[in-house]
Each structure stands twice: as structure tokens, then as C-alpha cells.
Amino acid sequence: MLIKDKGICLRSTDYSDSSQILTFFTQQNGKVSLIAKGTKKPKSSFGGPIQLCGIGDMVFALKDEDKLGMLTEFNPTFFGTNTRKRLLALNCSLLAAEFLNLFTKEHDPHPAVFEDAKTFLERLENCSDAEILHWLTIFEFSILEQTGSTPICNGCSNCRRPLTNDWQDFFFSSTANGLLCRDCEGVFIDRKTITYNIAKHLNTPAELLSDKAAINQTQNLLLEYISHVLERPLKTAGMVLKLIK
Ligand SMILES: [Zn+2]
């Protein structure tokens, strides 16, 4: 049976001289792995190899469990041409693809995550370089929220004391799953000292931060936290952190 859906290309591996094995995050069918035969042939009906983070209308057939399905049509609706020209935007789009791949399971649809990922890729394409990390933070929080992994930031994640500006010191720890107060920080060796501004920002990520150092530190904290949630290092995070250092 042929299935029509929209999908974002998350992974691509060459298969023979002319074909690709692709992982897509689709709107209605979740993550699917498909073989696309002949995409690299000069006169392919696909119009060329399918690019990472490209979005398009797809037609595919799924096989029995553990067998690769077959992609029969892919009509791109979004190429990310402008994103590819900018190193930070490009690496943030690859980071988004890695998140989607690691946070989702095959054939487990999350249409809201699909919409947020599509919006993020479109924002990367159109935003200024200064806005990239803001939209990345929003996307990270949306994916954490929708997978039930939001860090606890409205108070101490250990003793639950509510966050107020009366706190003298502020800390964040991935292993504690969020903020820590002064009384609890000593127990968590991975805790980082943060400012009140960052602690506040973790509660209201939609508000634009103007302090570049705070934006960068927030991203360092979030990427370390996401890696902790996923229980594995993120391949693409190192390059993003290097670019914003
Ligand atoms: Zn505490």
C-alpha cells in the first residue's frame, strides 16, 4: 500500500552507486527508514539526491517490521538553501535532525513535534545570525516538553524551594534535572554556576535575551542537559558550541 505524507530528511547513507537509504521524520507516520532507488542517477525521477533537512511531500511503501520501506516519490517543498550558506544555521539544522532522530521512535507519530521542527527549519532559513540561538532554544524546549523531559527551572530541582530573586546564588545541573539552590548544589558535581538572568530565562525562553554571553551559556547548559536526557553525546553539538564560543 502506498502512503502519502510530509517528511523531513534526518539521515542519509549512500547505498550502491545510485541509491540512498534515508530516515525521515514524517508528519503522520513518525520516523521511517526507506530506500530511495536511483536518486543519484543523472536522470532520476527524484531530480537528484535527497538532502539532509530537506522537507517534502512523499509517497512510500512500508514493508514488514525490520525491513526497509521504499520511497517512490519525493517532491521537495523546502530546501534550506540560505541555511546551507551560513555555518551556524547549517549546524543548528543538523542538530535539529539529530534531536528528531534520537528523541523519536520508528512508526510513532508526533505531528506537533513535526510542526515545531518544520517551523524551526523555516526560521533558520529566514532569520538573522543573531536570532539563530534564540530559535534553537525555543525548539529545544518544545522537543523536551513534548517528550516529557523539560528541566525543572521554577525552583530548586532537589528541595523544590521556589525560584525568587532573593536567592543569593544560582546553579544548574543536568543530573539534578534542573536548577539548584545554594543548599543543594554541593551534592551535584556537574552543577554550573549561572546568573539570575539565565535562571529566569530558562523559565521564559520565548523572551528574547540580549546578553550574548547569557545566550551562549544557556545553549551550553541545554545541550549538556539534552545529552544527559538521551544518555549519549550529541555528534553535532560540538560544532555548534565551537561556533558560538
Ligand atoms: Zn535546594
Side-chain angles (χ1 to χ4, degrees):
M1 189 183 74
L2 288 175
I3 300 166
K4 284 187 180 178
D5 206 340
K6 293 180 192 306
I8 303 170
C9 180
L10 305 184
R11 289 187 71 189
S12 161
T13 317
D14 288 345
Y15 180 76
S16 75
D17 286 343
S18 61
S19 304
Q20 292 173 285
I21 293 175
L22 302 158
T23 303
F24 287 92
F25 185 57
T26 68
Q27 187 180 43
Q28 303 300 331
N29 292 273
K31 191 164 70 177
V32 292
S33 294
L34 306 168
I35 184 160
K37 286 191 176 162
T39 46
K40 297 194 296 173
K41 280 185 185 164
K43 286 181 182 168
S44 136
S45 62
F46 288 99
I50 292 162
Q51 305 269 7
L52 274 182
C53 299
I55 307 175
D57 296 322
M58 322 161 52
V59 180
F60 57 94
L62 293 176
K63 299 269 169 69
D64 299 339
E65 243 176 82
D66 299 334
K67 280 191 190 158
L68 277 179
M70 171 100 71
L71 183 69
T72 58
E73 276 180 48
F74 184 75
N75 297 306
T77 53
F78 174 85
F79 293 94
T81 314
N82 191 28
T83 300
R84 281 168 205 287
K85 293 180 197 153
R86 298 177 300 147
L87 209 51
L88 181 58
L90 171 65
N91 280 281
C92 288
S93 72
L94 299 176
L95 188 64
E98 190 177 6
F99 287 164
L100 291 171
N101 191 35
L102 294 176
F103 270 106
T104 59
K105 296 193 185 89
E106 296 255 333
H107 313 301
D108 178 20
H110 287 280
V113 174
F114 177 87
E115 284 312 316
D116 285 350
K118 181 169 167 285
T119 301
F120 176 56
L121 293 175
E122 288 165 352
R123 279 171 169 164
L124 278 181
E125 179 73 0
N126 299 312
C127 74
S128 71
D129 278 7
E131 294 168 321
I132 291 176
L133 294 184
H134 172 68
W135 294 125
L136 177 61
T137 302
I138 303 262
F139 176 61
E140 287 164 337
F141 268 100
S142 82
I143 208 165
L144 285 169
E145 191 181 325
Q146 294 184 66
T147 53
S149 329
T150 314
I152 297 163
C153 295
N154 59 356
C156 176
S157 55
N158 192 51
C159 72
R160 304 298 163 123
R161 181 198 295 182
L163 173 70
T164 62
N165 53 6
D166 301 338
W167 286 26
Q168 301 292 315
D169 303 289
F170 307 86
F171 304 88
F172 184 93
S173 155
S174 294
T175 57
N177 292 320
L179 293 190
L180 287 171
C181 71
R182 192 165 59 174
D183 295 339
C184 299
E185 57 98 8
V187 187
F188 298 89
I189 51 167
D190 70 322
R191 87 284 191 213
K192 307 273 185 319
T193 304
I194 60 172
T195 60
Y196 174 63
N197 254 355
I198 294 177
K200 205 168 77 161
H201 182 55
L202 292 170
N203 286 282
T204 51
E207 280 175 25
L208 209 58
L209 261 187
S210 53
D211 175 358
K212 200 162 173 276
I215 296 171
N216 292 355
Q217 198 187 353
T218 303
Q219 215 31 250
N220 270 277
L221 296 176
L222 285 174
L223 288 174
E224 189 190 297
Y225 174 72
I226 290 170
S227 173
H228 168 77
V229 169
L230 293 165
E231 298 179 346
R232 62 167 79 192
L234 294 160
K235 280 188 207 152
T236 47
M239 190 59 181
V240 170
L241 292 176
K242 206 167 138 188
L243 288 169
I244 65 175
K245 211 155 104 186

